[in-house]
Amino acid sequence: MPDVQALVNDFISKLKKRKIEGSHATAKQAAELLRSVISQQRVPYTNQAGALIDAVKAVGEQLVAANPVELAVGNIVRRVLHIIREEDLSLTTASMAGLNLSAVSDDEDDTQKDDHSVLSAAVVAAAARSTLRPPSLQTLLEDLPNSSAIPHTSSSGGDSEAKSKSADKSSTTRKLKHDVIEAVNEVIQDIATCHEQIAEQAVEHIHQNEVILTLGSSRTVLEFLCAAKDKKRSFRVYVAEGAPRYQGHLLAKELATRGLQTTLITDSAIFAMISRVNMVIVGAHAVMANGGVIAAVGMNMLALAAQRHAVPFVVLAGSHKLCPLYPHSPEVLLNELRSPSELLDFGEFSDCMDFGSGNGSPLLHVVNPTFDYVPPKLVSLFITDTGGHNPSYMYRLIADYYSADDLVLQRKPAPGN
């Protein structure tokens, strides 16, 4: 089995060098890496969840710092942390339920039965109150003030009882890691199939003889439109080219290859063509907690045009793109500037870009942002792999995937540091 640290370093290197880009690819590889981290992490008998959380956070900090723009990486790290907490709480609750059943089944007097019932109820209540950071079973039992009231076995059975407890702890450790890994496998499967899950809903939203407008290139949009065509829907697609990277050219070619009526337009023609459009359907880089969208540059202009002409603006996004942070959060890097070479030929504009002025600054500046931010008021509908949702509901949907304690991934410094 490969060394986990080597896998982490390799993934960090790819993120820094931009050898892997895009929410889908980065999310899938991040989830697979964290699965390996959890699988090979040694955990103590006590506070197994805490050990796994610390290990995942340690790796997650490095991954997010390697390329903060890829918000999907942070989303997956927080999602895995939430899974660990949920699985630990589930095991704790199940253990307490088993303790309660065994106490009731024992042939004891009514007073002893009452004591055990109170004990189980107190532990379960303590676990319920600590949903975000559930303590281990041993911690719960040690914190009870009346734990001495539990009847002890005779000395002759002490060794067997100790062995039984040790076996139970080992079994619980394996059970926690197994359940967490299974849940992470489900996340990886959801990422792999999100395009198909979203595409299945296409026939509910695209109707006969409609005109659809999109911008740039998105595999989710491609599969969504092709799924509608496969259901015998006849419609036309306008594709804005998405300068300066011109990803729209690739999407237009793929749509035409698959038999869809496609028209390629320049980005500056969006306002001229929007009045002919029935619906705008676009992909997203990330969906923020307030329902705002981080998407390809030019998307805000398209959203404003759609609002001006009362055209529905629909955003397609897999659940791995749902980010629990707000746009103003200090942890969020909304944009990055790409190379000016995508806009200008350095040879042709070398004179203008020389440091020819007296203060030593170039005469010509080139700004080439990668993303746009679309506020939630411009979005009509989100379509995810779980269905369609209004922008006002996104915060509630996002809350189901993450824990409040994991929004900031930086670990707390040890006492005394």
Side-chain angles (χ1 to χ4, degrees), residues 45 157-171:
Y45 282 145
D159 293 340
S160 62
E161 182 181 359
K163 292 179 180 179
S164 176
K165 288 183 178 180
S166 177
D168 289 343
K169 289 178 180 179
S170 178
S171 176

Side-chain angles (χ1 to χ4, degrees), residues 207-225:
H207 306 289
Q208 196 73 9
N209 298 323
E210 284 191 332
V211 177
I212 309 297
L213 174 60
T214 188
L215 183 145
S217 180
S218 166
R219 183 186 167 189
T220 311
V221 173
L222 172 64
E223 298 297 338
F224 191 83
L225 297 175

Side-chain angles (χ1 to χ4, degrees), residues 336-356:
E336 69 175 349
L337 300 180
R338 298 184 65 87
S339 170
S341 63
E342 294 181 345
L343 297 176
L344 300 178
D345 182 351
F346 283 122
E348 183 179 354
F349 288 86
S350 58
D351 294 340
C352 300
M353 302 184 74
D354 260 345
F355 289 84

Side-chain angles (χ1 to χ4, degrees), residues 152-159 161:
H152 298 281
T153 58
S154 61
S155 57
S156 60
D159 293 340
E161 182 181 359

Side-chain angles (χ1 to χ4, degrees), residues 152-402:
H152 298 281
T153 58
S154 61
S155 57
S156 60
D159 293 340
S160 62
E161 182 181 359
K163 292 179 180 179
S164 176
K165 288 183 178 180
S166 177
D168 289 343
K169 289 178 180 179
S170 178
S171 176
T172 302
T173 301
R174 292 194 301 270
K175 176 67 173 171
L176 177 60
K177 289 181 63 174
H178 175 270
D179 289 351
V180 170
I181 291 174
E182 286 298 311
V184 174
N185 285 337
E186 292 179 7
V187 172
I188 295 173
Q189 181 65 19
D190 289 342
I191 296 173
T193 61
C194 69
H195 303 302
E196 291 76 12
Q197 295 293 329
I198 294 174
E200 289 178 358
Q201 308 169 57
V203 71
E204 303 173 11
H205 300 279
I206 298 179
H207 306 289
Q208 196 73 9
N209 298 323
E210 284 191 332
V211 177
I212 309 297
L213 174 60
T214 188
L215 183 145
S217 180
S218 166
R219 183 186 167 189
T220 311
V221 173
L222 172 64
E223 298 297 338
F224 191 83
L225 297 175
C226 291
K229 177 187 177 296
D230 293 340
K231 296 294 184 180
K232 309 304 180 183
R233 292 284 196 267
S234 178
F235 56 94
R236 174 172 288 278
V237 182
Y238 288 164
V239 181
E241 60 183 357
R245 303 182 71 187
Y246 301 108
Q247 295 294 312
H249 294 183
L250 303 177
L251 178 62
K253 180 180 179 181
E254 186 66 27
L255 290 173
T257 301
R258 297 205 189 185
L260 279 82
Q261 303 177 58
T262 308
T263 302
L264 183 66
I265 65 173
T266 61
D267 297 341
S268 56
I270 285 177
F271 261 97
M273 305 298 292
I274 193 69
S275 60
R276 310 181 188 184
V277 172
N278 300 107
M279 183 185 301
V280 175
I281 300 177
V282 296
H285 179 70
V287 179
M288 310 308 293
N290 66 336
V293 179
I294 299 177
V297 66
M299 201 66 75
N300 189 57
M301 175 184 65
L302 176 55
L304 289 170
Q307 183 192 51
R308 176 75 175 180
H309 290 267
V311 175
F313 187 87
V314 179
V315 177
L316 311 181
S319 58
H320 60 280
K321 296 183 179 183
L322 305 183
C323 181
L325 304 177
Y326 287 85
H328 58 266
S329 300
E331 297 84 7
V332 176
L333 181 60
L334 285 179
N335 221 329
E336 69 175 349
L337 300 180
R338 298 184 65 87
S339 170
S341 63
E342 294 181 345
L343 297 176
L344 300 178
D345 182 351
F346 283 122
E348 183 179 354
F349 288 86
S350 58
D351 294 340
C352 300
M353 302 184 74
D354 260 345
F355 289 84
S357 59
N359 58 8
S361 61
L363 300 174
L364 176 64
H365 295 268
V366 179
V367 179
N368 183 17
T370 304
F371 300 112
D372 252 351
Y373 173 70
V374 180
K377 65 180 181 180
L378 299 181
V379 180
S380 305
L381 180 69
F382 286 99
I383 300 178
T384 73
D385 37 357
T386 62
H389 308 283
N390 291 324
S392 60
Y393 182 74
M394 294 308 293
Y395 83 96
R396 183 67 187 88
L397 180 64
I398 290 173
D400 291 339
Y401 293 115
Y402 306 101

Side-chain angles (χ1 to χ4, degrees), residues 26-52:
T26 54
K28 187 171 184 293
Q29 292 198 28
E32 292 172 346
L33 176 62
L34 293 178
R35 179 181 60 186
S36 299
V37 171
I38 294 170
S39 176
Q40 299 189 32
Q41 176 66 29
R42 296 178 64 89
V43 295
Y45 282 145
T46 60
N47 197 21
Q48 297 97 349
L52 292 179

Side-chain angles (χ1 to χ4, degrees), residues 95-105 113 116-118 120-121 124:
S95 299
M96 292 304 93
L99 177 60
N100 188 31
L101 289 175
S102 63
V104 172
S105 62
K113 289 181 181 179
H116 281 282
S117 298
V118 172
S120 300
V124 174

